[in-house]
Amino acid sequence: MVFEKDLNLDATELRLGLPGSSEESIRISNKRALPDMNDDSGVAAAKKCDQETAPPTKAQVVGWPPIRSYRKNSLQTKKTEAETGGMYVKVSMDGAPYLRKIDLKVYKGYPELFKAMEDMFKFKVGKYSEREGYNGSEFVPTYEDKDGDWMLVGDVPWEMFINACKRLRIVRGSEARGLGCVV
Amino acid sequence: MQKKMAYSFPDEVLEQVFSFIQSDKDRNAVSLVCKSWDEIERWCRRKVFIGNCYAVSPRMVIRRFPEVRSIKLKGKPHFADFNLVPDGWGGYVLPWIAEMAGAYPWLEEIRLKRMVVTDESLELIAKSFKNFKVLVLFSCEGFSTDGLAAIAASCKNLRELDLRESEVDDLSGHWLAHFPETCTSLVSLNISCLRSDEVSFSALERLVGRCPNLRSLRLNRAVTLDKIANILRRAPQLVDFGTGYYAAELQPDVFSNLAGAFSSCKELKSLSGFWDVVPAYLPALYSICPRLTSLNLSYATIQSPDLIKLVSHCPRLQRLLVLDYVEDSGLEELASSCKDLQELRVFPSDPFGAEPNVSLTEQGLVAVSLGCPKLRSVLYFCRRMSNAALVTIAQNRPNLTRFRLCIIEPKTPDYLTLEPLDVGFGAIVEHCKDLRRLSLSGLLTDHVFEYIGTYGKKLEMLSVAFAGDSDLGLHHVLSGCESLRKLEIRDCPFGDKALLANAAKLETMRSLWMSSCAVSFGACKLLGQKMPKLNVEVIDETEPPDSRPESCPVDKLYIYRSVAGPRFDMPPFVWTMDEAVRILH
């Protein structure tokens, strides 16, 4: 088997690299595999070599495995959720300059959730009552459920809440009035 | 003395005869018989298929076929699906619509694949074709729901609107409300690709309710499970249904409502969708499972036991798309339950993970090849393979016509012997004499290409990645595969020699794609110069190819035959090698 040593792969390596361009570095790591392969004329040995040279966290080769982005995007969202086991939702607070994200699975119930939110945003949730909600609090926790409605946090059982909650929003007490709860 | 016999039928008779000839190939053959047949045929050709929108210009098509009612166009090369073709490469449909708007006022059907479609194009379609019936946008992009609103509003006789796997700028769900109350003609509606969480559900329900001929309906993720029953009850005549989000808290009344709605659909044969599945709701499908011929669960992250249960209820299944959660055990069940299976696609649930996350190996595929005598088409992602398994598969299933195997790690050898998989794939091409499409993976030397060139006489499309040792590999394919139309290659050490030696072959093919290979810029120029009927496109996003020595390999190369000459809508990173050795840009 004649291996084309003059494939100018070295030249290719030089040419492909715009330093700092991440796509190029992906391609370069890919190209380096070829000279290793060609240099070992024994194919089985070459495979071992390839496995040794494969870095532990693999740089993703562009377009490989051949999966359409349509499908890839669908998998990525699921993977982040499934792998970490987390249920990450965005948390915003009126007046805060940026949003946060928390993992609802981490908390065992409302008290822990509220403590985490209070720590994160430096406010106090206040007392919850079924009849009056968070009457008297400066800030009130609300959430958007799967139907797109904004609900008061605390009305439904915890398990039901974490399955329904899409995002959290801490609103000023004055605005929270009028938020009903769905039976 | 010569007697001249006049064997002429009147034109109308010939036209009538030709109207029974539907296939493009046969029509093309008819037009080659003689000048008068060519003339008659071209006036009565109603359907045109253009596999590469740059192979011919709209004007040429219109000139030859003045009375077309249905057109199908394909744009970007297949590897665009995997982000190998940079954005902006081309494939714009607007010039076609603009020309056809004037020339084909009675155009009824437009089917596009991998093309860039703008709202402007959609608005032009809506405005120009009074009897417009069918719009299929397969893997297209560049348009928004505003364009769809124009189609919905203007096309009074719209039968099909199919947006499968397109990228749509989903601005608002309200476009659905643009279908007038008088629109009752829909037969097929596929909006599964729309991503926003909004859909004008009441408009959708009303639309479905007033279209008695609706046969195929594919919803998007925004439609929640509790809404499915309402939709199905309005369209019990559906043959093909795509669910939206198939997950909810298990509630007995919702479940029984859903099960009842499904069971009222006596014609339902095909199901898809199933994003976010809650397994507890799968039994709602059991009443229709015995009739199901096609099932797409490729987005459903349900585990093998649930999949097995479902599949065992579907003895008539012909087509199954599924994630590798099905595992070998699920495929063994499939092999024993579904004897009518013709097509199997198994997608990876964790393609970028370093370690296998499921127990899916070559065994699953072997089991299906053994148990399903009608299996013709396979797409299989897995992490290990052996020559022995491939040989078994080939011997079990010589009736395979499409075989696409993706071993996730490039250059993976036979896991038992550590040999290349040449012999295994060789067996596939040798035994499967009607094989039309093949995708290779794993560790492969030039030998596999020798087998392919020798046996792959019916092969029309070949996809190659990280394979081969030298130009000999490419030469075997180009010189041996008589029926080859599309060849796509990435990351293989194929260079100038094979390409230049087989230049004439390229004119018999639709296209050749080569990226991260070893073809030099000089060879590209030579090819462009010697072969005027080929467009030789060099694609390089980093710098112009002529800023380097000619011997340097090009990054990406796309060669296709064309009677339209070089195109003029190229972006800055694409260069065509012109015959006058000007580099057009």
Side-chain angles (χ1 to χ4, degrees):
Chain A
M1 197 83 51
V2 175
F3 294 112
E4 307 246 82
K5 297 260 172 148
D6 55 277
L7 276 180
N8 283 324
L9 289 170
D10 292 339
T12 308
E13 281 190 35
L14 286 173
R15 294 302 167 188
L16 277 187
L18 273 186
S21 158
S22 58
E23 193 172 308
E24 296 322 305
S25 63
I26 287 168
R27 264 183 263 164
I28 285 171
S29 76
N30 179 41
K31 285 252 182 268
R32 280 204 195 104
L34 276 176
D36 287 339
M37 291 304 301
N38 287 341
D39 286 341
D40 298 329
S41 41
V43 171
K47 190 56 224 164
K48 266 203 288 206
C49 164
D50 188 62
Q51 266 158 13
E52 278 153 30
T53 56
T57 47
K58 264 180 285 188
Q60 276 182 29
V61 175
V62 175
W64 190 268
I67 304 172
R68 301 208 42 222
S69 3
Y70 189 68
R71 189 170 288 286
K72 244 195 288 186
N73 294 339
S74 173
L75 285 176
Q76 298 290 48
T77 9
K78 278 192 235 232
K79 194 180 164 209
T80 344
E81 284 172 20
E83 195 159 77
T84 60
M87 278 175 138
Y88 281 90
V89 296
K90 291 185 194 169
V91 189
S92 64
M93 175 154 124
D94 289 352
Y98 48 82
L99 277 61
R100 302 299 299 270
K101 237 184 180 164
I102 59 171
D103 179 357
L104 292 177
K105 273 233 160 87
V106 161
Y107 310 106
K108 296 199 183 56
Y110 288 118
E112 284 174 335
L113 173 66
F114 291 152
K115 177 93 181 26
M117 284 165 71
E118 285 172 344
D119 286 342
M120 212 180 244
F121 287 99
K122 310 279 180 282
F123 75 105
K124 278 273 177 257
V125 167
K127 208 121 186 2
Y128 169 78
S129 80
E130 224 177 76
R131 200 158 60 92
E132 289 180 354
Y134 295 91
N135 209 7
S137 316
E138 203 199 334
F139 285 100
V140 171
T142 66
Y143 71 101
E144 184 184 3
D145 72 1
K146 289 207 154 111
D147 293 325
D149 298 317
W150 285 94
M151 314 289 293
L152 202 65
V153 173
D155 285 339
V156 299
W158 175 251
E159 281 302 315
M160 199 187 276
F161 162 71
I162 59 173
N163 281 314
C165 174
K166 262 173 51 181
R167 59 186 298 173
L168 285 160
R169 187 176 155 213
I170 305 164
V171 303
R172 294 187 196 288
S174 49
E175 285 174 31
R177 225 142 283 160
L179 263 186
C181 59
V182 171
V183 176
Chain B
M1 196 166 64
Q2 268 185 337
K3 258 195 188 175
K4 267 201 183 154
M5 308 273 263
Y7 287 111
S8 51
F9 289 115
D11 289 0
E12 301 79 46
V13 174
L14 279 171
E15 234 186 85
Q16 179 74 336
V17 173
F18 294 168
S19 70
F20 294 106
I21 298 169
Q22 300 288 344
S23 103
D24 293 322
K25 264 195 180 152
D26 293 341
R27 281 265 176 173
N28 292 343
V30 159
S31 66
L32 288 172
V33 168
C34 63
K35 276 209 156 85
S36 65
W37 279 35
D38 180 34
E39 188 61 21
I40 297 166
E41 193 283 320
R42 76 182 188 91
W43 277 95
C44 68
R45 179 134 14 164
R46 297 280 174 263
K47 274 186 169 177
V48 178
F49 166 64
I50 295 157
N52 175 2
C53 65
Y54 291 120
V56 67
S57 75
R59 291 238 177 105
M60 288 167 142
V61 175
I62 292 166
R63 199 162 52 225
R64 180 167 171 197
F65 301 116
E67 300 275 333
V68 164
R69 298 272 189 274
S70 162
I71 188 159
K72 183 170 175 179
L73 280 166
K74 291 188 180 181
K76 300 188 209 174
H78 174 239
F79 271 179
D81 284 356
F82 316 126
N83 301 331
L84 287 174
V85 178
D87 277 341
W89 170 83
Y92 306 104
V93 81
L94 186 58
W96 286 86
I97 309 292
E99 294 279 357
M100 294 192 300
Y104 296 148
W106 299 109
L107 191 68
E108 293 176 4
E109 306 181 351
I110 296 177
R111 294 179 170 84
L112 306 175
K113 187 170 184 180
R114 278 188 218 104
M115 293 197 77
V116 178
V117 180
T118 55
D119 284 346
E120 195 188 340
S121 309
L122 293 176
E123 281 150 22
L124 195 51
I125 292 172
K127 231 177 19 189
S128 316
F129 307 116
K130 300 299 168 206
N131 201 23
F132 196 68
K133 296 197 173 124
V134 172
L135 183 64
V136 176
L137 302 176
F138 189 168
S139 296
C140 294
E141 49 159 355
F143 60 101
S144 78
T145 43
D146 286 352
L148 296 177
I151 297 282
S154 309
C155 302
K156 314 236 180 294
N157 295 317
L158 197 66
R159 277 208 319 243
E160 271 183 60
L161 180 60
D162 183 342
L163 307 173
R164 56 172 82 167
E165 294 178 38
S166 289
E167 272 196 40
V168 185
D169 197 0
D170 200 343
L171 302 172
S172 131
H174 296 298
W175 70 274
L176 270 170
H178 285 255
F179 278 106
E181 291 300 315
T182 49
C183 173
T184 56
S185 50
L186 273 184
V187 172
S188 168
L189 180 64
N190 179 351
I191 55 169
S192 54
C193 62
L194 294 182
R195 272 181 282 188
S196 86
D197 282 339
E198 285 187 53
V199 107
S200 178
F201 195 72
S202 48
L204 178 63
E205 270 189 319
R206 285 198 312 272
L207 181 63
V208 167
R210 64 178 184 265
C211 293
N213 297 321
L214 194 67
R215 289 278 177 271
S216 169
L217 176 65
R218 297 195 182 189
L219 305 172
N220 71 329
R221 274 172 118 138
V223 179
T224 52
L225 183 137
D226 53 303
K227 306 234 163 54
I228 292 177
N230 290 347
I231 289 272
L232 288 178
R233 291 206 192 278
R234 284 164 206 247
Q237 74 284 3
L238 282 178
V239 172
D240 168 50
F241 180 62
T243 73
Y245 190 70
Y246 202 73
E249 244 181 70
L250 184 57
Q251 290 170 284
D253 53 335
V254 173
F255 181 93
S256 57
N257 197 15
L258 187 61
F262 271 119
S263 68
S264 70
C265 296
K266 305 289 183 204
E267 312 286 329
L268 202 49
K269 293 212 175 57
S270 162
L271 284 179
S272 58
F274 297 109
W275 290 285
D276 302 308
V277 176
V278 161
Y281 274 106
L282 290 175
L285 304 169
Y286 285 174
S287 60
I288 48 165
C289 283
R291 289 191 290 269
L292 277 186
T293 56
S294 170
L295 188 52
N296 183 349
L297 292 167
S298 61
Y299 296 100
T301 52
I302 44 180
Q303 304 298 317
S304 188
D306 296 309
L307 281 166
I308 290 176
K309 256 194 277 179
L310 185 61
V311 150
S312 62
H313 280 84
C314 307
R316 297 243 185 91
L317 210 56
Q318 293 173 14
R319 185 169 186 260
L320 177 66
L321 280 67
V322 75
L323 284 172
D324 58 9
Y325 290 126
V326 69
E327 299 195 325
D328 289 339
S329 53
L331 292 177
E332 278 149 29
E333 175 62 37
L334 182 70
S336 68
S337 305
C338 304
K339 295 303 184 187
D340 283 345
L341 196 72
Q342 295 175 18
E343 180 177 353
L344 175 67
R345 297 195 190 200
V346 179
F347 295 96
S349 54
D350 185 16
F352 304 112
E355 295 301 316
N357 61 324
V358 290
S359 176
L360 179 100
T361 69
E362 81 285 2
Q363 294 305 322
L365 187 56
V366 171
V368 175
S369 76
L370 188 56
C372 302
K374 300 191 191 161
L375 189 69
R376 284 188 322 214
S377 171
V378 170
L379 170 61
Y380 199 76
F381 283 82
C382 61
R383 286 173 192 271
R384 72 173 204 205
M385 187 49 62
S386 66
N387 283 309
L390 285 169
V391 170
T392 305
I393 292 166
Q395 289 171 338
N396 286 339
R397 290 278 64 78
N399 50 328
L400 284 173
T401 55
R402 289 191 189 86
F403 189 74
R404 293 195 276 165
L405 180 67
C406 178
I407 304 166
I408 288 178
E409 180 65 31
K411 299 189 194 156
T412 305
D414 178 326
Y415 77 98
L416 295 168
T417 64
L418 294 184
E419 303 266 285
L421 290 168
D422 300 337
V423 166
F425 279 105
I428 295 279
V429 287
E430 187 185 348
H431 290 271
C432 306
K433 303 208 186 301
D434 289 321
L435 197 69
R436 290 195 316 259
R437 185 166 179 186
L438 178 65
S439 298
L440 305 173
S441 58
L443 184 65
L444 297 164
T445 72
D446 284 347
H447 280 315
V448 74
F449 298 108
E450 205 179 335
Y451 289 126
I452 293 174
T454 305
Y455 295 109
K457 295 308 180 188
K458 298 253 181 85
L459 201 61
E460 294 178 8
M461 183 169 176
L462 179 65
S463 309
V464 186
F466 306 102
D469 312 306
S470 74
D471 272 60
L472 208 51
L474 181 57
H475 175 70
H476 284 310
V477 171
L478 290 177
S479 57
C481 297
E482 291 158 5
S483 311
L484 198 63
R485 289 189 299 116
K486 290 180 280 187
L487 179 58
E488 46 186 25
I489 302 171
R490 61 164 297 176
D491 294 276
C492 296
F494 299 149
D496 300 346
K497 296 193 196 110
L499 204 56
L500 293 174
N502 292 282
K505 170 74 175 174
L506 300 176
E507 270 183 21
T508 68
M509 291 164 54
R510 182 185 298 173
S511 65
L512 166 66
W513 170 277
M514 291 179 77
S515 55
S516 305
C517 295
V519 179
S520 74
F521 181 54
C524 295
K525 284 205 289 194
L526 194 56
L527 206 54
Q529 185 193 359
K530 286 174 94 180
M531 310 293 295
K533 292 205 210 120
L534 293 180
N535 279 1
V536 178
E537 290 187 10
V538 172
I539 300 166
D540 194 329
E541 290 178 281
T542 55
E543 53 185 342
D546 56 357
S547 66
R548 307 192 285 262
E550 282 205 356
S551 55
C552 281
V554 298
D555 180 28
K556 295 173 179 169
L557 175 61
Y558 185 49
I559 303 173
Y560 53 91
R561 65 180 174 187
S562 175
V563 293
R567 57 184 177 114
F568 293 103
D569 61 356
M570 294 177 296
F573 51 82
V574 177
W575 292 265
T576 292
M577 309 294 108
D578 180 68
E579 56 184 274
V581 204
R582 287 173 297 139
I583 295 156
L584 290 180
H585 177 50

